[in-house]
Amino acid sequence: MSAEPHRRLQELRDLLHFHNHRYYVLDDPQISDAEYDRLLRELIVLESQHPELVTPDSPSQRVGGAPLEAFAPAAHTVPMLSLDNALSEEEFLAFDERTRRNLGAADDIDYMCEPKLDGLAVELVYERGVLVQGSTRGDGYVGEDVTLNIKTIKSIPLKLLHLHPQLLQVRGEVILGHREFEQLNRQRENQGEPLFANPRNAAAGSLRQLDPAVTATRPLNMFCYGVGGNQGLAFKSQAELLSLLGQMGLRVNPYIRTVRGARAVLAYHQEMAGRRESLPYDIDGIVVKVNEVALQEQLGAKTKSPRWAIAFKFPARQEVTQILDITVQVGRTGALTPVAVMAPVSVGGVLVSRATLHNQDEIDRKDIRIGDWVVIQRAGDVIPEVVTVVASRRSGVEKPFVLPEQCPVCGSHTVRPEGEAARRCINLACPAQIKERIYHFAGKRAMDIDGLGEKLVDQLVEKGLVKDVADLYFLTLEQLAALERMADKSAQNILEAIEASRRRSLDRLLFALGIRFVGEHVARVLIDAFHSLEELGNASRDALMQVHEIGPQVAESVSDFFTNEENRRIIARLRQGGVEMQPAQQRSSDQLQGLSFVFTGALTAFTREEAERLVVSLGGRATSSVSAKTSYVVAGEAAGSKLDKARQLGVHILTEEEFKEMVGL
Ligand code: D41
């Protein structure tokens, strides 16, 4: 083992130098922060076991990255120390133990707890209350002079309120909120510029713009949490310091809290972890600081970090892994979702091997290919997703992916309606959707089949008794009674409920079919206009769009639905199964059969809706726009463009009186 640490140390140093450069200089990391931290920790542990092997150029000898060339260097007169990490409760409790031992304190310690903002550490220098310099942290000793950029950040006062100490070096974190980050990326996408992988990178990129005018367009923000050089500001605790910073007009995070003892810190940690998802900016843990300045001084600092503070992190949510394959899932509503199958990786303590790619546009936008190395993230309990491709790790054998036109579950032809992100399977009998379709079909506002709840539907589908909604009407008492937890009486009740549903109105049946965009109201409008499912199914898109209130979206969806052979077959079987398909509203006559009407202008004897209903009840059709196929335009008072159009097209024009006469009123 003696030659091994030497080799491993060299390897770790090389790796860390490489990734450091990618991260800080190129802004294009190849590995996750967590992975980087692991390497750095391994290095530090190994070096502590073999101090004779520490080299002056070891990444452990500094924290942070080399400043970019473009900005003038800015030295920090008091070094900006970094923070040790605690990655678990045990590690935090060890910190608390150590701290109390070092202080000789038996009692609980007062701690200041702060959210750990995931941004960019900066220093602001105020001389007699006036902002004279802003710089990035850099390696802690020398950063970049970004004064002009800092001055564009609205929440940073150019002059302090109330107190004007001789000198005050304020430290804090510059961040970009989620909403602002997304907006920035949308804008970059529109302009064909590369996207930022996360808000932190976006904040760093924005602050290190050579042109302050560009920085000024980025809604950066800063929360302050400490001071470096200080002549003239007295405080006895971190709590007092933060309060003073607030009074001076600097922004301090509202979630800071002083607590007593390690237990209370654990509770705060948990509370903030729960709040993490709903905060408008990224935090990656909490920072815990011994509150009393006197105790801080007693504890002192190591070379790179104070002994009185620690970053108590949340589990990492981003990792890097490789996409081995892309499969397609069909959701309960028929949406086809591409899913990346990845080499398993632990993200925040959960083993992850799949991530949603959402849809084809998303794949194209991120240019995700099979074989790619990708940054994935898990946010809360939601399905992991791919944040970005690590383009520099491409070898050239990666394969682009295109969503299939056929449903991978039932083989039916899928559709992608215009303007929609998702490709969908619209087959009523698609096994991937069948349960959801049956729940909907049996629902109160649809066919209202009492007693056909989720559990029963699950059983019917799983036992293979029901493969589509029409099968419900062929179920027998024996089949139902044989199901688990089903008494003969209940089976009888279900059969009766199914029987009752055979007489639901046609618009309810149409709604029950679950055609996309056909809700209860649209179903009624369609049945009023077309009377039967046959007529509706035979209507062209144009004919559908002639109906008042029916737009291109509904027309396309309905037309697609009835074009599907399987769907037509199921409707035929519903009829065989005894489902009545008479128009709900019996026509009083067929007097206007084959004629279509458009009403325009103000009528006196009825509202437009009443007139339209009258036409429908007499077997005619009422539509909203005039075409060459319109039989009559009925023009009331102040009729406008529709009347003009009727004249142009040579459509018959009736006055309200003439219309009344025609229908015998
Ligand atoms: O929110 C933060 N990221 C944060 C960072 C914070 N709330 N407090 C911090 N306190 C310190 C000490 C205790 C050293 C003054 C810090 C940092 N340091 C820090 N940020 C980046 C390096 C160090």
Side-chain angles (χ1 to χ4, degrees), residues 72-85:
H76 303 295
T77 55
V78 176
M80 290 180 78
L81 297 181
S82 64
L83 292 164
D84 280 349
N85 285 329

Side-chain angles (χ1 to χ4, degrees), residues 81-83 114-117 121 137 173 225 287 289 306 308-309:
L81 297 181
S82 64
L83 292 164
E114 305 171 8
K116 184 172 182 300
L117 302 157
R137 178 168 174 277
E173 204 83 359
Y225 53 66
V287 181
K289 304 175 182 178
W308 49 267

Side-chain angles (χ1 to χ4, degrees), residues 439-478:
Y439 302 145
H440 173 77
F441 186 84
K444 261 247 149 327
R445 312 177 72 106
M447 299 299 267
D448 191 15
I449 306 179
D450 206 20
L452 193 61
E454 299 201 3
K455 288 225 171 67
L456 183 52
V457 172
D458 287 354
Q459 279 199 70
L460 290 171
V461 172
E462 278 152 26
K463 292 238 155 45
L465 294 174
V466 173
K467 295 197 178 63
D468 60 55
V469 291
D471 286 339
L472 291 172
Y473 295 96
F474 295 90
L475 287 172
T476 64
L477 190 61
E478 293 73 51

Side-chain angles (χ1 to χ4, degrees), residues 142-349:
V142 181
E144 297 155 312
D145 185 332
V146 288
T147 308
L148 295 177
N149 292 343
I150 283 285
K151 285 186 171 176
T152 69
I153 301 176
K154 306 271 195 317
S155 53
I156 296 178
L158 301 181
K159 186 161 196 223
L160 297 177
L161 304 172
H162 311 307
L163 299 167
H164 295 159
Q166 185 70 17
L167 171 75
L168 193 67
Q169 297 172 348
V170 180
R171 276 108 191 244
E173 204 83 359
V174 167
I175 59 165
L176 189 69
H178 293 148
R179 208 146 30 96
E180 292 78 12
F181 163 69
E182 271 151 30
Q183 205 203 321
L184 174 60
N185 260 355
R186 268 199 301 277
Q187 184 188 324
R188 288 174 74 85
E189 189 181 4
N190 289 339
Q191 290 162 5
E193 295 171 88
L195 304 188
F196 287 114
N198 54 52
R200 202 243 330 265
N201 287 7
S206 300
L207 196 62
R208 291 152 94 201
Q209 282 293 324
L210 291 176
D211 181 359
V214 176
T215 309
T217 68
R218 310 279 171 84
L220 295 168
N221 218 320
M222 179 174 178
F223 286 109
C224 299
Y225 53 66
V227 291
N230 167 17
Q231 294 162 23
L233 191 71
F235 54 90
K236 289 200 174 62
S237 66
Q238 174 72 5
E240 206 182 317
L241 169 63
L242 294 180
S243 159
L244 285 168
L245 293 177
Q247 286 169 44
M248 289 189 283
L250 292 153
R251 193 148 185 225
V252 174
N253 193 276
Y255 292 105
I256 57 163
R257 188 185 302 159
T258 28
V259 305
R260 173 159 296 183
R263 290 279 139 212
V265 173
L266 297 185
Y268 177 87
H269 185 261
Q270 220 166 27
E271 182 188 323
M272 290 310 291
R275 188 162 267 146
R276 187 182 192 185
E277 302 305 332
S278 56
L279 287 176
Y281 44 79
D282 279 350
I283 61 174
D284 60 348
I286 64 171
V287 181
V288 187
K289 304 175 182 178
V290 172
N291 191 38
E292 297 292 327
V293 172
L295 298 183
Q296 291 176 0
E297 284 168 353
Q298 207 177 319
L299 288 160
K302 300 180 284 180
T303 21
K304 289 188 307 296
S305 53
R307 281 200 196 87
W308 49 267
I310 194 159
F312 185 1
K313 306 257 269 211
F314 298 140
R317 295 185 305 180
Q318 285 200 346
E319 284 295 341
V320 173
T321 185
Q322 191 179 21
I323 295 184
L324 306 175
D325 194 10
I326 296 178
T327 62
V328 179
Q329 258 175 15
V330 184
R332 293 169 311 159
T333 60
L336 268 57
T337 307
V339 175
V341 179
M342 306 169 302
V345 59
S346 172
V347 186

Side-chain angles (χ1 to χ4, degrees), residues 528-572:
D528 277 353
F530 293 96
H531 319 302
S532 70
L533 291 186
E534 277 107 327
E535 237 196 278
L536 178 62
N538 292 333
S540 68
R541 252 176 236 212
D542 282 348
L544 287 160
M545 271 163 52
Q546 288 298 306
V547 179
H548 185 52
E549 287 192 79
I550 302 302
Q553 219 179 22
V554 174
E556 182 177 12
S557 175
V558 170
S559 158
D560 283 345
F561 180 87
F562 284 102
T563 305
N564 185 296
E565 279 304 315
E566 184 75 353
N567 292 347
R568 284 179 172 265
R569 194 183 61 75
I570 290 168
I571 289 169

